[in-house]
Amino acid sequence: MAGFHGRQGFHRRHAHRQWGPPPTPPHYGGFSGYALPPPYLSTIYQPGWSYGPPQPMPPAPSPPPSTPRLGTEIVTLLLRTQIEYYFSEDNLARNVHLKMQMDEEGWVSVHTIASFPRVKRLTNDVVLILRSLQPSPTVEVEDGKMRRRGTWKKWLIRR
């Protein structure tokens, strides 16, 4: 008997083997007791299907729009709120990365702001980003750039 070692019993490498008859296959019978084919065989042949040459794949879905289905008004409000937070006193007090992006007059490119993950999740449309900031009391926009309105000099990093 393979795996038997006298008093020691069965060797550990054979411990996974079980005694007894092999397990019975699952029953796929109906109410009448006749055996039905297993479910995975029902997709192999179906009467009435045509079995011709393979058909071409349908076209791939179009890429998602740059502005989600939320609607332009909501996205505009969310953009303005998020970017006003970026230029808020609280955030600028600790956000060195944003301050490093400012030029000597405090301007930050809209492309830099558009690359921030929270803005990127809302849209990749820089025109929409600039338009959303027009009514902002915190951020001013000019020539594809933006900065904190009024107190921008306070946040410049001397280089």
Side-chain angles (χ1 to χ4, degrees):
M1 184 180 283
F4 187 73
H5 296 287
R7 287 188 196 164
Q8 297 173 354
F10 285 91
H11 193 268
R12 284 193 177 119
R13 68 184 171 142
H14 297 289
H16 66 278
R17 294 187 183 163
Q18 296 177 355
W19 291 99
T24 57
H27 176 69
Y28 298 108
F31 292 110
S32 64
Y34 291 105
L36 298 175
Y40 61 87
L41 286 179
S42 65
T43 58
I44 294 176
Y45 174 75
Q46 292 289 330
W49 283 12
S50 64
Y51 292 94
Q55 299 297 318
M57 295 278 299
S62 60
S66 62
T67 304
R69 297 183 183 135
L70 293 174
T72 309
E73 297 84 20
I74 294 173
V75 172
T76 301
L77 179 64
L78 291 171
L79 282 169
R80 183 169 59 243
T81 305
Q82 184 63 45
I83 296 171
E84 283 177 346
Y85 168 74
Y86 290 149
F87 287 94
S88 70
E89 299 265 337
D90 291 338
N91 187 57
L92 285 173
R94 49 194 157 79
N95 191 336
V96 177
H97 175 70
L98 181 58
K99 291 189 281 190
M100 292 294 292
Q101 303 302 315
M102 294 179 180
D103 66 10
E104 60 278 351
E105 294 180 353
W107 294 106
V108 179
S109 167
V110 67
H111 297 287
T112 300
I113 299 295
S115 70
F116 290 2
R118 291 185 186 220
V119 174
K120 207 188 285 189
R121 264 186 259 145
L122 292 170
T123 187
N124 58 8
D125 184 358
V126 294
V127 174
L128 180 63
I129 293 170
L130 292 170
R131 210 174 8 163
S132 71
L133 294 170
Q134 291 300 327
S136 173
T138 309
V139 180
E140 62 181 311
V141 176
E142 184 179 296
D143 297 328
K145 300 179 286 185
M146 59 190 76
R147 70 178 177 188
R148 179 161 175 86
R149 196 179 294 274
T151 60
W152 59 268
K153 289 180 185 176
K154 176 180 176 183
W155 305 109
L156 293 180
I157 293 179
R158 306 288 180 232
R159 294 180 204 166

